Amino acid sequence: MRLVQLTDTHLCRARGGTLLGMDTDHSLRATIELVRRERGRIDVLLGTGDLAANGEAEAYQRLEDYFSALCQDHFWLPGNHDRREAMLSVPTAPQRLVREIRAGAWQVLLLDSQVPGEVGGALGEAELCLLEDALAAAGTEGLYSLVCLHHQPVAVGCQWLDEQMVADAEAFFAVLDRHRGVRAVLWGHVHQEVERERGGVRLLASPSTCVQFAPGSARFRADTCSPGYRWLDLHADGRIDSAVSRVTDVVFHVDLESGGYQ
Ligand SMILES: [Fe+2]
């Protein structure tokens, strides 16, 4: 299965809206163009949260159009900037907000780590039960699993971001540890590339399609790296090939002096 993750698109209500001075429609279109050039045909496109800057319905409709032009099979999960009612206002939402995708030897799970009104994430009892049941079913059927969510379940080394990590990460990993087929966990939120490993499970985070956050920063700091995306090839024997790629042929403006963003 050839999969692409586009995350933290932060689309504003109107085309041309900006985040820290960067036009998030423009940066998403440039990233999609890069995917098209580099990846050719893809099977599944994942949008792992913060798809809208402020949860506006207009942003999700444009997201639908941008993603559909790249891949018909695209799926969304919510981040802290998203608003579920607005996501559901897009006519195709029932297809986009599924919790499980299956293809060949693989199961892809899309979890909801959003806590309404909060920046930080948590899964909670219902999501953890869903995860447990889905992984048990995959185990019975001999499927490999890729688990996706918005917030990071491990500290990434930026103090300000790590205060927002999944609050019940310990319970999350306790569920993963009970199932042998989990091959990777994939998230957004941190606007930077992360690649770790925990007990044979790969832990992957990816650049935003707009503004980047500086690795290792104690307080909010934007980075000069370009927008990018992650591709993942999920093989029938459970192996995953994956890498991040960034736009190199477009110059983006970002306000590096900013102390934060809303
Ligand atoms: Fe974000």
Side-chain angles (χ1 to χ4, degrees):
M1 173 162 39
R2 287 171 66 85
L3 194 148
V4 161
Q5 177 199 22
L6 292 171
T7 195
D8 294 80
T9 52
H10 288 263
L11 292 178
C12 301
R13 181 190 297 275
R15 201 178 288 267
T18 60
L19 179 67
L20 301 187
M22 188 183 291
D23 176 338
T24 55
D25 279 71
H26 174 242
S27 61
L28 174 58
R29 287 201 307 268
T31 309
I32 285 175
E33 216 23 70
L34 177 67
V35 174
R36 210 189 296 279
R37 279 203 308 273
E38 291 185 340
R39 304 304 296 162
R41 181 193 60 81
I42 60 177
D43 300 308
V44 168
L45 174 59
L46 295 179
T48 48
D50 284 2
L51 303 171
N54 295 297
E56 291 115 341
E58 295 89 340
Y60 299 113
Q61 187 55 58
R62 292 209 308 293
L63 183 84
E64 167 68 29
D65 297 341
Y66 287 138
F67 276 19
S68 293
L70 181 61
C71 176
Q72 286 301 312
D73 291 319
H74 59 93
F75 305 95
W76 314 345
L77 60 82
N80 46 296
H81 285 265
D82 292 307
R83 211 158 49 83
R84 185 167 287 281
E85 314 83 79
M87 294 172 107
L88 288 168
S89 73
V90 177
T92 49
Q95 295 150 247
R96 306 309 177 204
L97 293 169
V98 301
R99 312 306 301 276
E100 178 175 348
I101 308 158
R102 288 189 178 197
W106 284 86
Q107 169 197 64
V108 179
L109 297 176
L110 295 98
L111 300 180
D112 180 355
S113 62
Q114 185 197 62
V115 181
E118 302 281 332
V119 178
L123 288 164
E125 201 57 38
E127 289 300 297
L128 292 172
C129 282
L130 183 149
L131 177 65
E132 177 80 54
D133 291 349
L135 292 179
T140 305
E141 295 171 51
L143 299 175
Y144 300 108
S145 301
L146 167 67
V147 179
C148 309
L149 71 171
H150 179 68
H151 294 83
Q152 73 271 37
V154 291
V156 299
C158 293
Q159 194 187 326
W160 68 280
L161 277 171
D162 288 335
E163 288 165 7
Q164 305 163 8
M165 69 177 264
V166 175
D168 47 1
E170 212 173 302
F172 169 71
F173 283 115
V175 175
L176 296 196
D177 289 345
R178 285 197 281 278
H179 301 279
R180 300 173 58 85
V182 181
R183 286 292 180 266
V185 181
L186 175 69
W187 65 89
H189 190 63
V190 297
H191 293 220
Q192 62 192 276
E193 179 179 359
V194 174
E195 167 121 31
R196 306 264 171 80
E197 193 259 299
R198 180 189 176 280
V201 177
R202 285 169 77 178
L203 306 176
L204 305 169
S206 311
S208 161
T209 64
C210 58
V211 172
Q212 308 302 304
F213 298 155
S217 51
R219 292 181 174 190
F220 174 87
R221 192 152 57 86
D223 205 359
T224 50
C225 304
S226 296
Y229 74 97
R230 178 179 288 280
W231 60 266
L232 302 98
D233 287 349
L234 310 181
H235 297 283
D237 60 1
R239 276 182 311 111
I240 298 177
D241 291 323
S242 178
V244 156
S245 182
R246 294 181 190 266
V247 177
T248 55
D249 58 346
V250 181
V251 176
F252 297 94
H253 169 76
V254 56
D255 178 8
L256 289 173
E257 299 310 310
S258 172
Y261 76 111
Q262 293 300 310

